[in-house]
Amino acid sequence: MYFAALLARTEDGWEASDTELDDVETLSDLTDLAREASVDEDTVLVYIEQEDAWFGVVRVDGEEDPRIYVSDASAAARSSYGEILLTDELLGREPGAEDEIAALEELVDLDGTEDGEPERTAPAADTDPDDDGPDPDAVPAGPIGELGVLADLGMSEKELLTLQTDALSEIAEAVGAAEVLETVR
């Protein structure tokens, strides 16, 4: 089960709203949604959580690039909403590399066999002499992103890293939006 909320800072404090992510397919879509909720290009926090598995915070300040924190990247990678947050840049990958590789694999049969030959099986992982270490496309377990995403709003990096259950309530309390958040929960 997912829950998503928008916290938009205004000159009168914070405004909160729960939000549907059905039409959100990319980080750009999510950023646009946040900017629409913004008043005078003030800060908007988008909070997404998958119950007891992971949560993510996207901070949008005006026209600046979004800043992202995800509590558990490997758990988020198994989620359609998590995949939106786990951009190539956040994961330290070359942008679009996966798309280029997939397109090449579609054009060329890269398994090294001739048509009609049985496919060769790869040697076991523990006996592979060409093993150069971990898979560069693997998503790391644990937190990823900008730890200081909420530091100037009242939540330190250490506090963000220690959040477990009910993270949204603790974030809202730290930034001063706890009361308005309760209206949408």
Side-chain angles (χ1 to χ4, degrees):
M1 178 152 146
Y2 293 95
F3 177 76
L6 285 170
L7 295 173
R9 188 164 56 180
T10 69
E11 61 185 44
D12 297 327
W14 290 91
E15 292 181 5
S17 61
D18 61 343
T19 187
E20 291 295 321
L21 299 178
D22 295 339
D23 296 331
V24 174
E25 294 180 9
T26 65
L27 180 59
S28 180
D29 293 342
L30 188 62
T31 303
D32 290 345
L33 182 71
R35 287 189 176 122
E36 289 170 12
S38 175
V39 176
D40 296 326
E41 297 188 3
D42 276 329
T43 300
V44 176
L45 301 176
V46 180
Y47 177 88
I48 303 170
E49 76 177 13
Q50 182 179 4
E51 194 171 285
D52 296 329
W54 66 274
F55 71 89
V57 177
V58 178
R59 178 177 176 164
V60 179
D61 293 299
E63 292 300 316
E64 292 181 27
D65 288 341
R67 297 165 54 193
I68 304 167
Y69 172 80
V70 177
S71 66
D72 187 338
S74 62
R78 296 185 296 269
S79 153
S80 59
Y81 295 127
E83 287 180 341
I84 292 170
L85 304 181
L86 298 175
T87 63
D88 287 337
E89 182 180 340
L90 189 67
L91 294 169
R93 296 180 185 159
E94 185 68 31
E98 282 184 21
D99 297 337
E100 291 174 17
I101 292 169
L104 287 173
E105 287 176 346
E106 280 184 30
L107 293 173
V108 180
D109 184 9
L110 297 179
D111 68 1
T113 62
E114 297 284 330
D115 287 342
E117 279 185 43
E119 285 189 32
R120 291 182 238 151
T121 57
D126 60 348
T127 62
D128 186 0
D130 296 325
D131 188 10
D132 292 332
D135 179 4
D137 291 331
V139 176
I144 191 169
E146 191 172 327
L147 294 175
V149 69
L150 301 173
D152 65 322
L153 297 175
M155 178 162 277
S156 71
E157 294 177 8
K158 182 179 178 184
E159 290 171 314
L160 188 60
L161 282 170
T162 59
L163 293 178
Q164 298 293 320
T165 58
D166 205 21
L168 178 57
S169 293
E170 291 186 44
I171 290 170
E173 182 71 34
V175 303
E179 287 182 25
V180 296
L181 175 65
E182 289 306 314
T183 64
V184 298
R185 278 197 119 180

